[in-house]
Amino acid sequence: MAASKIQPNMGIWHLIAGIVIAVLGVYVWFNPAATLLGLALYLGIIFIVVGAGYFMLSFSNRSGWYLTVGILDMLVGVIFVGNLGLTAATLPIVLALWFLAIGVMQIVASFSLRREGYSWGWSLLAGVLGVLFAFLILAYPAVGAVTITALVGAYFFMYGVIEIGEYVSNRRLMPAEADICLLYTSPS
């Protein structure tokens, strides 16, 4: 069985990552416009990458559908990246429409699950919540934008604090127990 010792200096990266991510979380809270621009850029890049995947898949599957979806996704991605301000301004509406579509699909799927005798209540609940959140965001898009940035900021901050906590926790183990802690990889 192959094994390697834990390296005490590896834990420092948890501390550094934790501090950087926690600071980023605070930055996101106080800079919602920059956060929306960043999310818009991220969303545009995702559309381009996913579209390229569908485009390439269309040749191996000989599918006009995948080709069309791939081209449209890449076009939407380029438009999003080329117009970050507009994308950021419409991001709550784009997400609300996505929540609505997914919610409706979950509601429909829950009834199919029910007909087939499977557990369906959680799927129905998730679908109804998706539709409700979609309508709330569509009714109050400014609140949707603030909520998006607040949630992203809160996640980054909490993740950073957890990374710092992991460093502190592991640091307590390192001095005395670093020599006996082994990481096992695969049997060989």
Side-chain angles (χ1 to χ4, degrees):
M1 185 175 305
S4 62
K5 290 185 180 182
I6 293 177
Q7 297 178 9
N9 64 349
M10 291 294 285
I12 193 73
W13 292 110
H14 284 284
L15 177 63
I16 293 169
I19 292 169
V20 169
I21 293 170
V23 168
L24 179 63
V26 172
Y27 175 82
V28 165
W29 278 333
F30 291 107
N31 295 289
T35 301
L36 285 174
L37 286 174
L39 289 172
L41 177 63
Y42 180 71
L43 185 64
I45 291 170
I46 287 174
F47 268 96
I48 292 169
V49 170
V50 169
Y54 277 120
F55 184 78
M56 298 305 292
L57 188 62
S58 73
F59 293 111
S60 63
N61 287 350
R62 299 178 193 261
S63 169
W65 174 252
Y66 284 153
L67 179 66
T68 303
V69 169
I71 290 171
L72 286 175
D73 277 357
M74 288 187 294
L75 181 63
V76 167
V78 168
I79 290 170
F80 278 9
V81 170
N83 299 298
L84 288 178
L86 180 62
T87 303
T90 60
L91 190 59
I93 294 168
V94 169
L95 288 176
L97 293 175
W98 183 69
F99 292 162
L100 181 63
I102 296 297
V104 168
M105 287 190 288
Q106 285 178 312
I107 290 169
V108 171
S110 73
F111 290 117
S112 296
L113 289 170
R114 182 178 180 203
R115 270 194 309 273
E116 295 172 18
Y118 294 106
S119 176
W120 58 279
W122 291 109
S123 182
L124 178 65
L125 179 62
V128 169
L129 286 176
V131 170
L132 287 174
F133 276 108
F135 283 122
L136 281 172
I137 293 172
L138 288 171
Y140 306 102
V143 173
V146 170
T147 303
I148 290 166
T149 58
L151 289 175
V152 169
Y155 174 76
F156 284 169
F157 182 76
M158 287 186 291
Y159 187 85
V161 169
I162 289 169
E163 285 290 313
I164 293 167
E166 185 176 27
Y167 169 78
V168 169
S169 176
N170 285 335
R171 194 71 186 150
R172 289 185 187 140
L173 291 176
M174 288 295 176
E177 301 173 16
D179 292 332
I180 59 172
C181 290
L182 297 176
L183 290 175
Y184 294 100
T185 56
S186 61
S188 47

